[in-house]
Structures are given as C-alpha cells and as structure tokens.
Amino acid sequence: MSDTESGRVVEFSIGGMTCAACSARLEKVLNRQAGMQATVNLAAERARVRLSGQADEAAVVTAVAKAGFVAQVVDAQTREREKAAKQHAYQREIRRFWIAVLLTLPLVGQMLFMFGEHGHGNELPRWLQLLLATPVQFWIGWRFYEGAYKALRGGGANMDVLVALGTSMAWGFSAVVTIFDLPQHVYFEGGAAVITLVLLGKLLEARAKARTSEAIESLILLQPKTARVEREGQWVDMAVDALMPGDIFLVRPGERVPVDGEVVDGESRVDEAMLTGESMPVGKGAGDPVFAATSNGQGALRCRATGVGEHTLLAGIIRMVGEAQGSKAPVQRLADRISAIFVPVVCAIALATFVGWWLYSGEFAEALVNAVAVLVIACPCALGLATPTAIMVGTGQGAKAGILVKNVEALERAEKMKVLAVDKTGTLTCGLPQVTDSDARGMPAGEALRLAAGLEQNSEHPLARAILAAAAGEAIEPVSGFRACAGQGVEGVVAGRSLRLGAPEWLGLENDGMVRHWQQEGKTVVVLAEGVEILAIFAIADALRPTSRTAIERLRRRGIRVVMLTGDNPRTAAAIAAQAGIEEFRAGILPGDKASAVNELKAGGNLVGMVGDGINDAPALAAADVSFATGAGSDAAIEAADLTLIRSDLLGVDEAISLSAITLGKIRQNLFFAFIYNVTGIPLAALGLLNPVVAGAAMAMSSVSVVSNSLLLKRWRPRNPMDYSGAFDGRH
C-alpha cells in the first residue's frame, strides 16, 4: 500500500482471470465504482486500485466478487501464500491433465485407423466414445463452465465462454447422434482433444508466467531472515523483522547485510552488484553506508541500523518494480479496446459461419464443426499477455542492473527521447567538490577559510560541503542573520563581521585575472567579501565522472542531443562541457529556472529527458517528458523522476534507453503475433480449412509463444561500462 496526493493505492491479488477479456472487464467494473481508479494486470494476476472518498478495501473486494472474481489485499505474507496455493493448484491440474490424456487418446487414436479402406469399421463403439468423452467434458472441463458462468453473470464474456460453448456444441451433437442412433458422424474426439490441449496450454502458460516474476522473487530471497544484534554487550541472533533503527548489528565475513545501516567500525569490501549492477566490490569503513541484502567480503563490520522493514533500499526497489509491473503501457490500450468486444464479435462470426455453411452445404454436422473451430481458435489470451509479460520481465531485468522504473509509460517514452538535459554537479561530475586553490587578500588564508566555513555551516549545497570539508578540525564561529540568495551565494554575520560568500559576478569580481584563470580550468570560484572589501577567493573543483564522456558519446550515437544545465558561469561550464564532450550548454541558470529551460527545449516538439540528483532538480525532472534521478540524489529528485538509476552514473541513462527499446520491441512483437494469429486463424476456421482439434492446439500454443518470447528479455544485460564501441547489438 502506498499514499499519493489523490488517495491511497492498494494492491490486490485477483483470482479467476483466464484471458484479456477478463482483465479488461474487471478494470471497467472497478473504474465505474465511486472513488476507485484501477489497473488490472492479467500476467501478474494483480489489481492496483487508487482509493479516494468513502471507497475502501472491502468495497473493492465486493465489486470484484460481483464481477465473478476473487480479490485479496496483498500484504507481506501474500506472496508466500499465493506461491503455495499456485503450486498446489498446478499439481492438481497436472493430475487432471494426465487423466484427460488417458481418456482422450483412444478417441484421437481411432482417427489414425479411419483413413484406410475399412476405416469406419475401426471406429470405437459410440457408447464407449460417450463414456470416455463425458468426464473430459464435464469434470476436467468444469473450470471452463465455471469461468463462463461467472463472466456472463458479471455482464461480460471471456475465453471460457468460447471453449465451453464450442466443446459443448460438439459433445451435445455427438450425444444426440449416439442416443438416437442417427446416421451421422460423431465428434467426441474434437471436444475432448480441445479441452485437453487448452489445459496443456494453460499449464505451460502458468509455468512460463511464473518465470516472469523471478526478478522480484530473487530480490526478496536475498535478504537474510536473521541478524546478529548487540544486546547489553552480548551478540544475539534476532529475526530481521524485529530490528529497529539505531540497533547495532554485526556482519561477519561472507554474510549478507540484514538491513540498511552505517558502519560504526571495521573494514571490508561489500558486493553491491544486486543493487547497482556494479561487479566490483565497494570498500567500506567507519561512516560508510551499507544496504540490505548486499554481500560482505572478508572483513567484519559493526553497523548501526538506519533503515529497517519497508524503509530499506531493497524494499523500495521491490515496491517500485512491483508498481511498474502493475502499470499499463499506452501501447496496450488498443489491445484492451479490442479485448472488451472480442468475444461477442467471435460468437457472432461463429453463428454466421454455422448458418452460412448449413445453407451452403446442407450439412448440419459440417456447419457445426466449422462454427466450433471458429470459437476455439479465437482465444484472446495471447492478446492479454502480450504487454504485461514483457513489462514484468523487462522491469525485473532493469532492477537487477540498477535501473528502477516507476511507470511503464515513462519506459515507453525513453526510447523516443530526442533531447536530454543533464545537470552538472553530481550527475556529470562525482558530486564531491573539493577546495583546490585559495587566494587570501587582506587576511591569513586559514582565517578566511574559517570565516567562510562559519558562513556555510547551515547550508547543504555541494560547494558549502567543500568549504566545510576544507576547514575540518578548525574552530568555527556560529553564524547569525543567515540568508541564501538563490543562484548567487549566502550572507550572514560571523564573529561580528557582516560577510557575503558567492559567485564572482555577485561581488563584482568576474573580470579578476585569477578568477578567469581558475574558471578556464573548469573550476568553480567563490568569493568571500566584507562589504566591498574582498577577503579571499576559493577555487572548487568537482572531478568529471570517469564514465561521463563515454556515456555522452553513446547518447550522441543514438541521435540524442545532450544539453548541460548548470548554475556555473559560462567559462567554467564551457570547460566542463569540453571535458565531457558536450557541445551545447546553458550556464548561469538559477535553480528555479531549470524547469523553464526544460520547457524551452520541449517547445520544438521534441521529447525531452532530464537527469538530475538534487532537490533543486525536482521541478525540472517533473517538467521533463522522461526524467532520471541518480541513486545518490535527494529524495525529492527520486520522487519526481520516472526512472531511478541506483548507480550514480550517466551510463545508466544509455542502459535505460536500451532496456526501453528491447522491452517495447518485445511488446510490439507479441502484439503482432497475437493479432496476426486471430486475423488469419478465424477466417481459416470460418472457411472450413481448420479442424477444431488443430484450432485448439494452435490456440494453446499462441499464449505459450507470447510468454516465451517475453522471457527472451532475460538475455538482456547492461554493457561493460568501459566498452567504447557504442554498438547496439543483440543484447540491447
């Protein structure tokens, strides 16, 4: 469950859906209810419902039940219960399938002996055929009658209606011929074979669908169940769920970190590949963060818990991936509209086929068989599975590579992006600026640094942190009357002196020789002044990330125009842009104006993306068509962004576009297969060119083929960060 500005979002597990018509009808039913806004995912068997006003969980469960399905609120234990229930149901269906095979084989086998000179003499007695086919029709196939009844009671129709109607027509006709000993051929083998083949298809589909959620399952299994916690000087083993923020826990060599925390003492290297996709272990020491489910190396780490339960980074990833898998891509809207009217249209075509063939040939049996073939071939399962299965696998693979997708609409837009606006500090650069040079004027350099640090002690700006880091260990005077001047600097009173610290342009020093020299080296310059007197000049450098230039080159090869946005002066911006290989930049932009810059870039009609990491980037991220926040960024930036890159690396944008392209490619392939299957299959059946048994086999395999095609996304891997080829190969 999550809260939003317009209500709270609750996730429900849904039982009883069999095809796209089911999910489309349920979604329509829920969206008609007051205070409910729902999206239903057939592949995940989930519904995400935003509740507002008087609507609550009980109302959702009631509405779902009236539509013919079963709903249950998803909680921490739901996955385990569902997994056990599905495994039990799967084993039961396996047993029923083999019983169906044993009963159907004699019926189908007799067909092999009916093509010879005395073929009809080898036909099984009709009463025996009736005895073999009836359990298959009404016991094994009862699920189709039950599903059809619930669908019709709820005011809709689904795949179960087609299968139940088609096979019942074949069985009913054959039973009448048998009971009254009429001189007609019987079609018991057709109905029995269709039910058996559809059941086989459902089993294969269930097995394949289970694999689409493996990414989330593997993430959940990574977190340890117990932790070694310090209690009154003793180490005791406790359930991870019992840990509270502030608890001290021990991570021994080779163990996984139980919750998010901060290293108190000890040194080791931690493998964070499952979060960031980065293969090299990260060194950890006192003060460094550690994250739940990451794997410790050879050293022991004593840590303090900072995030537990639903507040760990891992829990956030699982939650975000689940939300993305439950969201709906715009490309699916056409499939939804078709699914909503599909079954009634197919029934009309089947009726027209029956009437047309009866009038044309005068043979009731032939007309019936062709109508049954139309009903059986036209299952909309593949249509309903085409998009959600690809999304589930794609977003899961993205999570493994450190790319978290908030909603699928953003993933679809990422592939079409033409312009990318890039924040400088912390995005192109490492985000760890350091004071590299100083020029004190009128006082000792140490005293000037202490005054500057005193002025900046309440600021969270990266440049302020650089000043404070340079003055570490020095006695800093308190500041009073502190005021931040957006895009210019800060001012206040330190040690009785009224000071200003900020941009050279703000303090009239933009043409100073030293200032110009440092700016041309790509350094940011800040000036400390008292009134009109200049006290000191500081040069601060933030190194370019080693991968930034490679990332920019890859993006340019994709045809994406990259624009750097920065509050720095034009000379410093030009130097950083040149180092990164960026040809276009906007300098001197105030934090509040970044969103306006993004809107200007959108004015040309291009789809514009934005990458940022700071609080001041949040408005620009919200304004962009596609927004990316780096994992080291602020909560505000991550909340505003469509995609979060756990690894603070611009290469993640290239990988996200790659993931977008291959996922959308699979969705298009799946939709093409699903549409072409029905577009060709239904006319063939209507023209009498398709036997019902063959139609049943084709229908079953269509769903399996769509899910299997989606599973090919598991082969996607992010490219080696230092691969400069930029080629778009089969993995992408």
Side-chain angles (χ1 to χ4, degrees):
M1 184 186 300
S2 60
D3 294 321
T4 68
E5 293 181 2
S6 56
R8 54 200 179 89
V9 177
V10 185
E11 188 174 27
F12 296 84
S13 63
I14 304 295
M17 293 191 299
T18 57
C19 68
C22 293
S23 57
R25 180 166 56 85
L26 179 58
E27 190 169 293
K28 185 183 293 184
V29 167
L30 290 174
N31 285 326
R32 281 202 301 257
Q33 309 300 313
M36 296 184 197
Q37 184 180 349
T39 57
V40 179
N41 187 320
L42 172 65
E45 298 179 340
R46 289 282 197 271
R48 290 182 59 79
V49 186
R50 178 176 283 109
L51 301 174
S52 58
Q54 300 300 313
D56 59 10
E57 289 87 340
V60 175
V61 173
T62 302
V64 172
K66 287 182 178 178
F69 307 101
V70 179
Q72 185 177 14
V73 176
V74 174
D75 55 27
Q77 286 75 44
T78 300
R79 289 185 184 279
E80 289 300 322
R81 289 199 304 267
E82 279 188 340
K83 194 172 181 180
K86 285 182 179 180
Q87 185 62 29
H88 178 72
Y90 184 77
Q91 293 300 328
R92 184 180 67 245
E93 292 301 316
I94 284 283
R95 289 193 295 271
R96 289 190 177 188
F97 167 71
W98 285 115
I99 293 172
V101 169
L102 291 175
L103 294 172
T104 304
L105 273 177
L107 296 171
V108 176
Q110 69 176 337
M111 304 297 293
L112 301 175
F113 302 100
M114 291 179 62
F115 297 103
E117 184 178 349
H118 304 289
H120 287 283
N122 295 318
E123 186 178 2
L124 290 176
R126 290 182 177 181
W127 284 103
L128 178 57
Q129 292 188 52
L130 177 63
L131 288 173
L132 290 171
T134 300
V136 178
Q137 183 70 41
F138 297 106
W139 176 47
I140 305 297
W142 180 251
R143 57 178 289 168
F144 301 112
Y145 289 100
E146 186 178 28
Y149 168 73
K150 288 180 178 178
L152 294 171
R153 187 187 66 182
N158 61 1
M159 179 207 75
D160 293 328
V161 172
L162 298 179
V163 175
L165 183 59
T167 58
S168 295
M169 288 170 62
W171 182 90
F173 173 77
S174 301
V176 169
V177 169
T178 300
I179 292 170
F180 294 102
D181 196 24
L182 301 176
Q184 294 282 349
H185 180 66
V186 293
Y187 298 95
F188 287 119
E189 80 286 343
V194 165
I195 288 175
T196 303
L197 287 168
V198 172
L199 188 56
L200 173 61
K202 284 292 178 186
L203 290 170
L204 294 174
E205 179 187 310
R207 187 174 179 181
K209 279 166 63 177
R211 291 181 59 197
T212 63
S213 59
E214 283 179 356
I216 286 187
E217 294 292 340
S218 63
L219 288 174
I220 292 172
L221 292 174
L222 284 174
Q223 187 168 18
K225 301 296 183 184
T226 61
R228 193 93 168 146
V229 184
E230 189 175 42
R231 286 286 186 268
E232 299 178 355
Q234 301 293 320
W235 293 105
V236 296
D237 289 327
M238 292 179 56
V240 168
D241 294 342
L243 263 69
M244 299 291 289
D247 283 344
I248 301 297
F249 62 89
L250 180 68
V251 187
R252 291 170 290 193
E255 291 183 338
R256 289 192 179 274
V257 179
V259 295
D260 289 2
E262 182 180 77
V263 178
V264 176
D265 56 58
E267 291 186 356
S268 186
R269 296 185 70 81
V270 177
D271 182 357
E272 298 181 346
M274 49 76 59
L275 290 179
T276 66
E278 177 57 58
S279 59
M280 295 300 294
V282 180
K284 299 290 182 181
D288 290 330
V290 290
F291 303 102
T294 55
S295 181
N296 188 26
Q298 298 302 311
L301 296 173
R302 184 166 168 266
C303 309
R304 178 181 293 105
T306 57
V308 299
E310 292 298 307
H311 301 288
T312 64
L313 179 60
L314 177 66
I317 291 174
I318 293 170
R319 187 165 53 250
M320 191 176 289
V321 173
E323 289 174 0
Q325 291 182 344
S327 62
K328 187 166 292 187
V331 73
Q332 192 178 349
R333 290 171 188 156
L334 175 61
D336 287 346
R337 287 197 295 269
I338 292 175
S339 298
I341 61 171
F342 190 80
V343 175
V345 169
V346 169
C347 289
I349 294 173
L351 179 61
T353 300
F354 174 75
V355 173
W357 274 97
W358 198 3
L359 293 174
Y360 172 72
S361 66
E363 293 287 336
F364 178 86
E366 186 177 10
L368 179 70
V369 168
N370 292 335
V372 169
V374 170
L375 291 170
V376 172
I377 193 67
C379 169
C381 288
L383 204 58
L385 293 169
T387 300
T389 52
I391 288 169
M392 291 177 72
V393 180
T395 53
Q397 289 300 104
K400 288 182 178 180
I403 302 167
L404 304 185
V405 181
K406 184 180 291 185
N407 65 76
V408 181
E409 190 171 350
L411 188 67
E412 183 172 336
R413 288 196 301 264
E415 181 197 22
K416 304 170 184 175
M417 186 172 61
K418 295 300 180 186
V419 181
L420 181 66
V422 183
D423 174 55
K424 179 181 76 70
T425 304
T427 304
L428 281 171
T429 63
C430 295
L432 296 172
Q434 296 177 328
V435 176
T436 58
D437 305 276
S438 63
D439 181 16
R441 301 180 180 182
M443 65 165 51
E447 183 181 351
L449 186 59
R450 284 194 297 273
L451 290 173
L455 197 56
E456 292 279 28
Q457 60 188 288
N458 295 325
S459 175
E460 286 297 318
H461 194 282
L463 299 183
R465 291 198 294 268
I467 294 287
L468 290 167
E474 299 285 348
I476 299 175
E477 297 280 346
V479 61
S480 61
F482 177 83
R483 187 171 74 93
C485 302
Q488 303 294 338
V490 296
E491 59 186 14
V493 178
V494 179
R497 307 178 71 161
S498 182
L499 304 173
R500 289 190 295 170
L501 179 71
E505 296 80 4
W506 187 40
L507 297 167
L509 211 64
E510 63 270 25
N511 293 319
D512 183 89
M514 185 64 73
V515 169
R516 295 172 65 90
H517 173 70
W518 284 340
Q519 288 176 343
Q520 287 167 355
E521 291 181 346
K523 298 175 181 178
T524 300
V525 179
V526 294
V527 179
L528 178 67
E530 183 177 13
V532 296
E533 182 185 0
I534 303 300
L535 301 181
I537 307 172
F538 301 99
I540 301 173
D542 185 7
L544 195 72
R545 290 187 186 277
T547 54
S548 289
R549 190 174 182 89
T550 305
I552 297 299
E553 178 61 25
R554 287 187 184 179
L555 292 168
R556 287 177 61 188
R557 291 186 184 185
R558 288 186 183 276
I560 295 173
R561 170 184 158 210
V562 181
V563 181
M564 184 181 77
L565 305 180
T566 178
D568 267 333
N569 66 84
R571 286 190 290 271
T572 302
I576 294 295
Q579 292 176 32
I582 296 175
E583 297 176 353
E584 188 177 351
F585 62 87
R586 308 269 177 98
I589 295 181
L590 299 177
D593 293 336
K594 285 187 177 180
S596 299
V598 169
N599 286 324
E600 286 177 17
L601 293 170
K602 290 168 65 176
N606 291 319
L607 196 146
V608 177
M610 170 71 190
V611 193
D613 73 327
I615 293 175
N616 60 352
D617 295 324
L621 291 170
D625 295 305
V626 189
S627 51
F628 305 83
T630 57
S634 69
D635 290 342
I638 292 172
E639 183 64 30
D642 298 314
L643 298 98
T644 299
L645 312 175
I646 295 297
R647 188 175 61 206
S648 297
D649 189 330
L650 199 58
L651 280 171
V653 176
D654 176 71
E655 300 300 351
I657 297 170
S658 166
L659 180 64
S660 169
I662 191 172
T663 302
L664 268 294
K666 285 298 177 189
I667 290 174
R668 294 186 189 106
Q669 290 172 15
N670 288 346
L671 288 174
F672 173 78
F673 292 147
F675 280 123
I676 204 71
Y677 161 81
N678 284 302
V679 166
T680 57
I682 292 175
L684 288 175
L687 291 171
L689 301 176
L690 210 56
N691 182 281
V693 176
V694 177
M699 183 266 279
M701 290 303 104
S702 66
S703 297
V704 177
S705 64
V706 163
V707 178
S708 299
N709 189 48
S710 295
L711 288 171
L712 293 177
L713 281 168
K714 285 182 172 288
R715 298 192 304 182
W716 179 85
R717 295 290 185 276
R719 282 184 287 184
N720 185 315
M722 297 313 293
D723 172 14
Y724 285 81
S725 66
F728 189 88
D729 58 27
R731 296 172 299 162
H732 292 65

